[in-house]
Structure formats: structure tokens, C-alpha cells
């Protein structure tokens, strides 16, 4: 085989060529029936056609390595699945790794027509759970998806995600990848430190962002210190019901600092929660009145406060009735938390953003956006300092401040603009550097030291990414046992990377190989994504997901995850009139709806039950009712009911909007609305 592009520069060069030969061969054999015999393909590889392609496309050995490492042949499946925030789309993207193929878009906060999300009565009711004081909101700013955990490991059962803009949280069932619940936090207007879960998912954490008067109250901004407040909410997740139970949830009142990200303790720190903050200056803006602008006013101090929350103690106080109620939400008042040692502060430098716990739960990695170091606190030292009363003072609200040096384990200089940190299986940490546009690999020391053989707490290498990187995600990289292998940098915009598609640039997910040790990170793949802005992503082993391929029973209601009382079985189809109400029992099967005619009078109340009675995996039917804004996606076995007033007169065709069979175009019926 001819070596065309300096393969000898790579240690693994010959191996690469062998691998690509095998990959091409394997692919070729898969296609053998349609594309010539196996011997022909062997001779194609042997004759150097692969080299010719590589040469013609100008690929380097690194490119070929990356291609082989990420290529998932047709029919084969990915090793990992990423759940990505859909940013402003209010959705969740499901992406395979290493292929970086988009597998699904889950409708969450915004309608998604293909899935009928927001185009049936039941899904509209879920969306309405996110109304703000009764007002419909049809966008979101989703930031942080959180997979449910058991013992600090992803269990593949549930997914949660927040909406920063409206302080909402959503619950997605990973049996059918559908959203089941949306809640609007009644005491605040924005959030950010969510969603994060405790190691057994008893609590879904939602930390606030911009301080405001609690609930629906109004207060002049001159009363900022007295009347404005931050918060963190602990939403109780009922796994059996598959829902958050607001009645068993509670919030904690916090000072009007801007709480940012949170992380839940695990293993040694289980039962504790950590949220950082900025704007402890309590800047209130007002540049038009000669005040410092927010970006300066909120960055004057060298230190802000890491909030250290004793969740177990908070639960006890809530159980003891030490709460007040704000807009129906139980809330632990700030003075109660401060007096009972539920809340402590640790000074943290400098404009902090990410707080990430090491896999053993012992160290907290804090990234200050304006500090080239990451600051590592020891949980044990923090707890000891609290026990010893090693405080450097209290803040204006009476919260004890743990002495910085008493909590500090290490500061490691990584580069400019550190944001977020993830971990691997070898004892490395990875931190995104926004201003450097790079990802730093560094070795953990102390009780987290791994098998990498590098000295403790040391910067090992940086890999440039393209372009401004926000979060990063490693395989199961925020759990108690990260996998290593792959890391994805979530870059904001992608200047000069792809074909120009106008002045709004795609976001760019870059897949990085972190399987090796030392200075060996390799960029593998660029995945532009034309929907923004995805902030955070989690990556789970594919075999942990146990999603259904069809619903378990004919007549299934996805909202209750049980058989629907109005399910229509074969032979039960009918149309009944009672006064001004017309009730329709309909089945859908390839390739017809039964009944095929529904006659009503204008102004009638129509109740329409539809069941897809199929049990074949590829037998989804749509139900489009033009003019009435319905488009249902009825997966095999699914049943739903819609109810509406027949307020548009005329003749409408309801039809199947999913290309389900050769006679799909004939899967249609007439809805006749007589005057
Ligand atoms: Cu964008 Cu986690 Cu909301 Cu950092 S956050 S980037
Ligand atoms: Cu059913 Cu098309």
C-alpha cells in the first residue's frame, strides 16, 4: 500500500492504514450483494483505490484516523448517546457518539409538529404546565439536562431540563422519550443552577439566577438589598409516579446574589449541595443614571460566594415546619437557614461559573471566568472548617463565611476563561477555556489521583477547539465512575468552519478522543448544529437506555403510561350523537381510519378517541385535521382523545400525515361540518 501523506510521522501510522483497509473491506462486504463480489472489493482496496481517495481529498493520516474512529457503518450502532440542551428551541437533541448523528429531537417546552407535541389536547396540557401565571410561553432557554441517577450513576430512566428564561423544569420519560411534566417555579422569574439531581434522584435541583422580589411581588430596585432575593428549589421527584411532586418540594431563600451553577454532593459529600454565585456586589445596573454597568459593577470584588448547603439539615427543618409559603411553595427563610447552619459560604474567585465535583465527591472544582486558575476546594476541609467554626466573618444576611484558606486544596493555572469541568476514568479532569478557546487536560491529585502517572494537580496539555467553547461533556463525565474515551466540546458559533449560511453561524460540537494518556487528545469530528444554543449535554452508555420500540399494549396512553380508558379496540368503532355532542371512536391501521366519515353540525362539541391498533414497529400513523390545528403522532399502540368545538363549517379531510404504507395517501376520511 502506498503511503501518500507522511504517515510515518505518526506512531500509529501503519496501524491506521490496516484499520482503514479493514473498515473499507467490512463495509464493502456488507454491500456485497448490491455492489459487486467480495473478491472485487478486496482487489479494490489492494489496488490502492483507498489511497487514491485519500490523496484526491487531501486527507492527512490524522484525518483518516479520525474518520475510522468515528465511522459507524450502516446497521451498526453508537456506543454512547448524548442528551443535549436544545437551547432556545426549548427541545432536547439526542445524538449518537462517536458517529455524531442526530437521532431524535424531543419536544419539551415548544411544540414539535412531527411528534404531534403541542398538537393534541394531552400534549397541550403538558405544555400548559409551563404557563407563567396563566400566560402561554412558546419559547425557552434550556441550559442543563440531567439524567436520573442511582447511586451516582446514570440509570437511563428519566431526563430533566431547565428553562432559564422562565424558571421552569421539565421531566422526560426515557421509556418513550416524551416529556411528561413541565413546572413553572412560582417564586422566581429566572433560573440557572438546574437541573441537577442528587445521587438517587430524590431531588431535582433548580438554582436561581437573577435576584428579584420573590413570587409576583414588586419592589423598586432601590430596595434591592432588602426586597430582592435569590433562591434554590429542591423539587421532589416521585420515581413511581414519574412526576415531580410540588407539594413535597421546597425552596430556600438566598441573598440577592446571582446564584449560578449548582452540583449535588456524592459519596463522601452526599447530602450536600453546592451552588456558586456572582454579583455578590449586589450591583443594580443603571448606567443611564451614572451607575457602573452590570458587567463592571458585578465584577468588582475578587471573591464571590460558593453556597454550601446541608440538604439533610434543610429537609429536617422543612419537616419541622420551619417554612413560610410563597405562591404555594414552601420556602425555608434565609435567617432560619443561616441560624441553623444549613447555609455557609466559601469565598470563590473571580466571577465564578462552573462548580463540578470530582467523581469521588471529595473535591469541588470552581472556575472563575476572570481567573486563569481553577480553584479546588476539599469537601472534608470545608466540613472541618464548619465544625471548627473557622469563619472569616458573616455576610450582610448573617451567613457564616468559611475561611478561604481553610477550604482550599489547590489552585491550578490552566488558561484564560475557565468555565466547566468534566472527568475521565484515569484521574484526569478537563476544563473548557472560553477565552483560550481550548480544552485543558489536567491531573487530579490528592484522594482523586488516578492511574495517569502524572504528578498531582498538574496541567498536562491543551487542545484548541473551534470556536468559543462553553460546556464540555465526557462520557458519563459527571458521575461517580466516568468512562473516559470521548469528550465533546460545545462551541458557540463556528466562524470559518463550515459553508456560510448567513450571518448567524451554526453551533459546533467537536468530538475529541481522550482515550490515551499524557499529551494525546485528538480532535475527531466537527458536528455543526443549526439550532442553538445548546449549553450542556450529558453522555450515557447506549446500553443503559431501555427505550420501548412500541408501546406495551394496544390502547396505550403515553401520559399515564397505562392503557387508556377510552382506548378503541377493533370492532368498537362508532360515531354517537348526544344532543350537541358528537363522540367518535376511531381506529387507525394500515391503511385506513375507521370510520371514514364523520358528520357533525357547526357548533357541535366533538369528542374524538383515536387508537392506533397496530403492534408492528414501523406502524406510526399521523392524524392531521387541517383548520383545527391538530396533528397527532400515533405510535403503534397509542391512544388519545381530542375535544373541540366544530366552529369552522365546511368539509375537511382528516388524513394520515406519516408515510406508513403504499396506500398511505388513501388513509383519509371526511369530516363534514354542516351549517
Ligand atoms: Cu452556558 Cu452551564 Cu448555562 Cu456555562 S452555562 S456555557
Ligand atoms: Cu397511516 Cu399514512
Amino acid at each position: 500500500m502506498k503511503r501518500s501523506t507522511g504517515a510515518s510521522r505518526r506512531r500509529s501510522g501503519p496501524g491506521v492504514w490496516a484499520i482503514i483497509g479493514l473498515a473499507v473491506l467490512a463495509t464493502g462486504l456488507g454491500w456485497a450483494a448490491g455492489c459487486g463480489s467480495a473478491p472485487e472489493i478486496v482487489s479494490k482496496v489492494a489496488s490502492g483505490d483507498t489511497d487514491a481517495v485519500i490523496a484526491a481529498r487531501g486527507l492527512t493520516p490524522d484525518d483518516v484516523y479520525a474518520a475510522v474512529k468515528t465511522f459507524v457503518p450502516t446497521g451498526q450502532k453508537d456506543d454512547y448517546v448524548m442528551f443535549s440542551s436544545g437551547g432556545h428551541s426549548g427541545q432536547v437533541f439526542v445524538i449518537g457518539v462517536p458517529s455524531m448523528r442526530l437521532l431524535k429531537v424531543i419536544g419539551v417546552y415548544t411544540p414539535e409538529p412531527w411528534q404531534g407535541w403541542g398538537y393534541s389536547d394531552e400534549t397541550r396540557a403538558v405544555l400548559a404546565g409551563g404557563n407563567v401565571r396563566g400566560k402561554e410561553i412558546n419559547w425557552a432557554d434550556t441550559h442543563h439536562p440531567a439524567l436520573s441517577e442511582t447511586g451516582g450513576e446514570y440509570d437511563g430512566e428519566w431526563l430533566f431540563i431547565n428553562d432559564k428564561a422562565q424558571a421552569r423544569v421539565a421531566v422526560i420519560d426515557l421509556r418513550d422519550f416524551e416529556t411528561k411534566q413541565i413546572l413553572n417555579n412560582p417564586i422566581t422569574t429566572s433560573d440557572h443552577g438546574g437541573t441537577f439531581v442528587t445521587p438517587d434522584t430524590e431531588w431535582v435541583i433548580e438554582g436561581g439566577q437573577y435576584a428579584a422580589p420573590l413570587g409576583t411581588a414588586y419592589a423598586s430596585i432601590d430596595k434591592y438589598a432588602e426586597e430582592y432575593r435569590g433562591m434554590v428549589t429542591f423539587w421532589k421527584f416521585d420515581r413511581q409516579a414519574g412526576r415531580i411532586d410540588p407539594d413535597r418540594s421546597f425552596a430556600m431563600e438566598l441573598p440577592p446574589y446571582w446564584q449560578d451553577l449548582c452540583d449535588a454532593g456524592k459519596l463522601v459529600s452526599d447530602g450536600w449541595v453546592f451552588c456558586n454565585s456572582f454579583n455578590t456586589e449586589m450591583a443594580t445596573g443603571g448606567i443611564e443614571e451614572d451607575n457602573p454597568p452590570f458587567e463592571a459593577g458585578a465584577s468588582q470584588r475578587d471573591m464571590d460566594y460558593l453556597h454550601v448547603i446541608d440538604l439533610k439539615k434543610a429537609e429536617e427543618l422543612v419537616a419541622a415546619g420551619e417554612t413560610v409559603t410563597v405562591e404555594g411553595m414552601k420556602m425555608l427563610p434565609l435567617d432560619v437557614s443561616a441560624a441553623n447552619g444549613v447555609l455557609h459560604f466559601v469565598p470563590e474567585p473571580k466571577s465564578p461559573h462552573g462548580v463540578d465535583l470530582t467523581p469521588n465527591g471529595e473535591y469541588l472544582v470552581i472556575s472563575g471566568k476572570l481567573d486563569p486558575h481553577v480553584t479546588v476546594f476539599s469537601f472534608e476541609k470545608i466540613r472541618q472548617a464548619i465544625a471548627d467554626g473557622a469563619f472569616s466573618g458573616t455576610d450582610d444576611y448573617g451567613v457564616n463565611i468559611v475561611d478561604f484558606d481553610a477550604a482550599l486544596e489547590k489552585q491550578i493555572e490552566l488558561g484564560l476563561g475557565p468555565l466547566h469541568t468534566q472527568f475521565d476514568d484515569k484521574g484526569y479532569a478537563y476544563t473548557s477555556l472560553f477565552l483560550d478557546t481550548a480544552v485543558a487536560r489536567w491531573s487530579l491529585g490528592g484522594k482523586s489521583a488516578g492511574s495517569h502517572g502524572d504528578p498531582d494537580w498538574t496541567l498536562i496539555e491543551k487542545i484548541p477547539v473551534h470556536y468559543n467553547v462553553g460546556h464540555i461533556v465526557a462520557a458519563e463525565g459527571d458521575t461517580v465512575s466516568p468512562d473516559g474515551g470521548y469528550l465533546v466540546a460545545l462551541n458557540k458559533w463556528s466562524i470559518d468552519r463550515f459553508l456560510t449560511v448567513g450571518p448567524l453561524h451554526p453551533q459546533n460540537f467537536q468530538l475529541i478522543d481522550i482515550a490515551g494518556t499524557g499529551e494525546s487528545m485528538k480532535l475527531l469530528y466537527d458536528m455543526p448544529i443549526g439550532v442553538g444554543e445548546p449549553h450542556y449535554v450529558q453522555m450515557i452508555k447506549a446500553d443503559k437506555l431501555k427505550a420501548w420500540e412500541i408501546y406495551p399494549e394496544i390502547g396505550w396512553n403515553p401520559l399515564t403510561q397505562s392503557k387508556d380508558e377510552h382506548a378503541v379496540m377493533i370492532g368498537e368503532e362508532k360515531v354517537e350523537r348526544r344532543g350537541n355532542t358528537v363522540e367518535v371512536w376511531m381506529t387507525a391501521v394500515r391503511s385506513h381510519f375507521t370510520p371514514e366519515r364523520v358528520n357533525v353540525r357547526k357548533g357541535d362539541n366533538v369528542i374524538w378517541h383515536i387508537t392506533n391498533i397496530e403492534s408492528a414497529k414501523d406502524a406510526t400513523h399521523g392524524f392531521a385535521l387541517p383548520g383545527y390545528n391538530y396533528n397527532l403522532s400515533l405510535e403503534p399502540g397509542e391512544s388519545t382523545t381530542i375535544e373541540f368545538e366544530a366552529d369552522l363549517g365546511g368539509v375537511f379531510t382528516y388524513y394520515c400525515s406519516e408515510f406508513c404504507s403504499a396506500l398511505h395517501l388513501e388513509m383519509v376520511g371526511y369530516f363534514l361540518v354542516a351549517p
Side-chain angles (χ1 to χ4, degrees), residues 620-621 656 658-660 664 667:
T620 290
H621 298 290
C656 173
E658 191 81 20
F659 203 104
C660 55
H664 147 81
M667 192 166 172

